Amino acid sequence: MTVDIAVIDYGMGNLHSVAKALEHVAKGARVAVTDDAKTILAAGRVVFPGQGAAPDCMREIDARGLREVVKQAASEKPFLGICMGLQVLFEHSDEGDTPCLGIFPGQVKRFVQARMTDAQGRRLKVPHMGWNNVRQPRPHPLWAGIPDGERFYFVHSYFVVPAQADLVAGYADYPAEFVCACARDNLFAVQFHPEKSASAGLRLLANFVSWNGKPA
Amino acid sequence: MALAKRIIPCLDVTAGRVVKGVNFVNLRDAGDPVEIARRYDDQGADELTFLDITASSDDRDLILHIIEAVAAQVFIPLTVGGGVRQPNDVLRLLNAGADKVSINTSAVTNPQLVKDCSARFGSQCIVVAIDAKQTVWGATPKWQVFTHGGRRATGLDAVEWGKKMQDLGAGEILLTSMDRDGAKIGFDLNLTRAFSDALDIPIIASGGVGNLQHLVDGVVKGGADAVLAASIFHFGEYTVEQAKQTMAEQGIEVRL
């Protein structure tokens, strides 16, 4: 059976929340949490989530033979990366010195604890965990109806550094500015967790579910 | 524009029911878990914590149904703790829809569990809960770790224990003052400050909240990244929204 939305399951973390949130915003849609290449490539749209560490993610993607499947899906249909599903789209992660998928040019770096102080000089913790403001440097169909500066839920210790400025679709500050959303063609990927970001997150997922895969 | 300090209502669960009571006595059914969770979500709760206080291990699986039901309807982070002994317990809670699992007594009896679970599931979903009681007063106060709901002394220095848990991969510490728990006189701010200064991972302050100023103090004086409270929200004394307004008025970054 062809599914409307395939959530790629590569054994990294809790995909239940992502699937439930998609079902919540896409009433009646067929959502499958799957590692089956055929199901993923036949789906109308694909969500690429993930938690944990980059080396484990890449190892599991390869163990399940999903590297080329992810690349193909990312080249041809509406595709949403979440958290680790943003990071491993890049060329390389400093986490475990891990070569990644190389779909986006750029690197993944860690927050440097020594530089983590806020405006009052108080120490900021790593992981960056909680609700932070997301700036939208440009409009995108997935930002529709979401105010610029809206808060989303983050939990991560690494962040992406794209090699092309035109990939950037969102920024947050912790304490320095970092890129928390990237977009190109049919791809949109975010560092935060829309499935855990209450109404703003559900709106972003709803926008994805109705997105035609065009950047504007 | 900055990371917000979090407010986390805590719900007690026993034998599959959400209950409210004071210090584990006079427990009353608090109502439908999904409705309660949704109400807190509507009020702006940043996360929810479910604490399984079920005495009998036979009934402990019943919390899975609650988490499944809540996770299908409420889309904010959910933490579940109580009775977690092995990696499989963590796995089952995550599969039911928990985002984080809190480990308390078993972290003391088997610290390797924290290391194994954070390696397997990621630090982001492993919270270590520490129940601490003050044992040394004066200029260099000290606290000791207690387990089994605060009944059993471990001899472990709480701050050192917290650092060890961080090194083993804990993503966050849920820090409860046993001296203040249920007392409604505010957090143990020295304890909270000792942890927030010594550790690099986020600290959730717990135990002792009786009014909204206590939440402010936990953040401003204690340096907590998040504040957890139960009774002030359950018994309708304050809403989460009021708590956030009070914090915002005193210059704390919150999600409104």
Side-chain angles (χ1 to χ4, degrees), chain A residues 73-116:
Chain A
S75 71
E76 64 187 25
K77 56 186 83 204
F79 184 103
L80 177 64
I82 298 173
C83 190
M84 192 52 71
L86 162 71
Q87 294 182 8
V88 298
L89 297 180
F90 283 81
E91 291 167 291
H92 181 269
S93 174
D94 281 356
E95 189 175 19
D97 189 17
T98 306
C100 296
L101 295 171
I103 294 169
F104 286 150
Q107 309 290 317
V108 182
K109 304 277 180 198
R110 194 177 201 279
F111 290 115
V112 179
Q113 187 69 60
R115 293 182 207 147
M116 304 303 287

Side-chain angles (χ1 to χ4, degrees), chain B residues 135-151:
Chain B
T135 49
V136 177
W137 282 260
T140 51
K142 288 195 177 298
W143 297 264
Q144 195 182 128
V145 178
F146 280 67
T147 57
H148 298 82
R151 294 188 302 277

Side-chain angles (χ1 to χ4, degrees), chain A residues 44-56:
Chain A
R45 58 196 70 234
V46 167
V47 176
F48 184 46
Q51 290 179 337
D56 301 329

Side-chain angles (χ1 to χ4, degrees), chain A residues 136-196:
Chain A
Q136 304 164 13
R138 57 182 162 111
H140 189 282
L142 265 64
W143 292 134
I146 299 172
D148 191 12
E150 180 62 273
R151 286 184 189 273
F152 288 88
Y153 184 81
F154 289 82
V155 49
H156 63 121
S157 300
Y158 289 78
F159 59 94
V160 301
V161 183
Q164 289 173 358
D166 60 0
L167 288 178
V168 178
Y171 289 108
D173 297 335
Y174 195 64
E177 182 177 85
F178 70 93
V179 173
C180 69
C182 291
R184 186 182 71 200
D185 304 329
N186 57 307
L187 302 179
F188 197 89
V190 292
Q191 181 60 64
F192 52 82
H193 288 270
E195 78 280 12
K196 286 290 153 186

